[in-house]
């Protein structure tokens, strides 16, 4: 075990790393879920039989309506999609807030539940991560994962793993989308209808982007002009 303070990590530093991740991969990125906060698609927050019934009814209702992955738009075509909750984690404010619910395909699920995809990631998962986020890497093949792709992928996923470990030691208040604490009075059906992202929403990104790691080059300073005497 380790203490984030002992390795020199502050809440503001963790937040800066989190913000950089969201800038790099805004559409599909690993879930930073602290140990003990896993909810199995919100099911573990159902404290009463009534809430469990609300969950089952809402799950079945939205599953029938789902024809494609909420994130990458892959068609369902008889495949089973996994319901995944998404959260906003604020290290600086100490808040872990429910953001949304999504029915996800297998590849999107593997990116979000990422601990098995760090050191020996599947090629398909790497490609899917870059493609879904519209991240452009120079001279890449459409079918073969290059060393450059694999290296960049592992850098970001290792960062995510570090964030998840640090989050496990942070004091976080778990709240719903309205910043209310989960309780026996929480209406699970309302949460489903408020937050489940429809599968037909338009894509967030439409243009290719380059990794922010390539955007750190210093701008050339304009040359000074000297007047002749």
């Amino acid at each position: 075990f380790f203490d984030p303070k002992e390795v020199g990590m502050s809440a503001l530093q963790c937040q800066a790393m989190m913000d950089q991740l969201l800038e790099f991969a805004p559409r599909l990125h690993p879930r930073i879920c602290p140990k003990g906060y896993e909810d199995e698609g919100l099911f573990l927050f159902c404290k009463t039989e009534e809430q469990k019934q609300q969950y089952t009814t809402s799950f079945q209702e939205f599953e029938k309506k789902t024809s494609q992955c909420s994130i990458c738009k892959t068609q369902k075509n008889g495949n089973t999609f996994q319901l995944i909750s998404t959260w906003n984690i604020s290290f600086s404010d100490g808040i872990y807030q429910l953001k949304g619910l999504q029915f996800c395909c297998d590849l999107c699920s593997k990116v979000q539940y990422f601990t098995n995809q760090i050191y020996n990631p599947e090629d398909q998962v790497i490609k899917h991560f870059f493609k879904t986020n519209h991240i452009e890497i120079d001279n890449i093949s459409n079918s073969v994962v290059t060393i450059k792709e694999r290296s960049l992928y592992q850098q970001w996923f290792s960062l995510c793993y570090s964030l998840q470990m640090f989050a496990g030691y942070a004091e976080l208040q778990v709240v719903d989308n309205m910043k209310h604490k989960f309780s026996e009075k929480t209406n699970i059906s309302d949460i489903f209808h408020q937050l489940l992202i429809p599968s037909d929403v338009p894509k967030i990104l439409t243009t290719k982007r380059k990794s922010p790691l390539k955007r750190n080059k210093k701008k050339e300073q304009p040359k000074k002009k000297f007047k002749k005497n």
Side-chain angles (χ1 to χ4, degrees):
F1 297 101
F2 64 92
D3 186 337
K5 293 180 181 178
E6 294 180 0
V7 293
M9 290 298 294
S10 68
L12 291 178
Q13 287 174 312
C14 288
Q15 191 62 51
M17 292 166 66
M18 188 71 202
D19 293 342
Q20 191 175 17
L21 169 65
L22 296 177
E23 178 189 0
F24 177 68
R27 190 164 182 80
L28 176 62
H29 54 266
R31 297 171 77 246
I32 308 302
C33 181
K35 185 178 180 180
Y37 288 78
E38 186 49 67
D39 60 288
E40 294 185 10
L42 211 59
F43 181 75
L44 295 184
F45 283 104
C46 298
K47 301 178 182 296
T48 67
E49 289 301 320
E50 182 181 2
Q51 289 175 325
K52 290 178 182 178
Q53 184 57 50
Q54 290 174 353
Y55 179 94
T56 301
T57 302
S58 298
F59 178 90
Q60 293 174 347
E61 174 189 348
F62 283 98
E63 185 183 35
K64 290 178 181 178
K65 296 178 181 179
T66 301
S67 60
Q68 56 186 1
C69 176
S70 299
I71 298 176
C72 71
K73 311 309 172 193
T74 296
Q75 294 297 313
K76 197 171 185 180
N77 293 331
N79 296 319
T80 300
F81 284 176
Q82 183 174 356
L83 180 64
I84 297 177
S85 62
T86 58
W87 298 76
N88 283 329
I89 182 170
S90 173
F91 291 96
S92 53
D93 296 331
I95 293 178
Y96 189 61
Q97 182 180 0
L98 181 63
K99 176 185 176 183
L101 291 170
Q102 302 171 328
F103 278 104
C104 299
C105 68
D106 183 58
L107 290 176
C108 284
S109 298
K110 285 181 177 179
V111 170
Q112 294 184 81
Y113 291 97
F114 69 103
T115 52
N116 293 328
Q117 297 293 328
I118 298 178
Y119 299 110
N120 295 296
E122 299 172 30
D123 286 0
Q124 280 186 306
V125 174
I126 296 176
K127 284 291 186 183
H128 194 70
F129 172 69
F130 288 123
K131 180 181 178 182
T132 305
N133 285 301
H134 294 259
I135 297 167
E136 186 179 63
I137 300 177
D138 297 336
N139 301 320
I140 63 171
S141 167
N142 288 328
S143 57
V144 179
V145 174
T146 65
I147 295 176
K148 191 173 185 179
E149 281 182 294
R150 188 175 297 276
S151 175
L152 184 59
Y153 169 95
Q154 289 181 318
Q155 286 179 43
W156 283 101
F157 277 56
S158 294
L159 178 144
C160 291
Y161 184 71
S162 297
L163 281 173
Q164 183 151 297
M165 293 187 72
F166 288 130
Y169 290 88
E171 294 184 5
L172 298 172
Q173 182 180 8
V174 184
V175 295
D176 64 16
N177 55 305
M178 303 302 291
K179 289 191 175 182
H180 298 146
K181 290 184 179 181
F182 284 91
S183 70
E184 295 179 354
K185 295 182 180 180
T186 301
N187 191 307
I188 303 299
S189 294
D190 286 348
I191 291 178
F192 263 82
H193 285 82
Q194 292 165 4
L195 294 182
L196 192 64
I197 299 176
S199 60
D200 58 349
V201 292
K203 291 183 177 180
I204 296 174
L205 301 172
T206 56
T207 57
K208 296 282 186 181
R209 301 179 305 113
K210 291 189 176 182
S211 167
L213 299 179
K214 295 183 179 180
R215 292 192 243 127
N216 295 328
K217 294 182 180 179
K218 292 183 179 180
K219 294 182 179 179
E220 292 185 4
Q221 297 295 326
K223 295 181 179 180
K224 294 183 178 180
K225 295 182 180 179
F226 298 92
K227 293 182 180 180
K228 294 182 179 180
N229 293 328

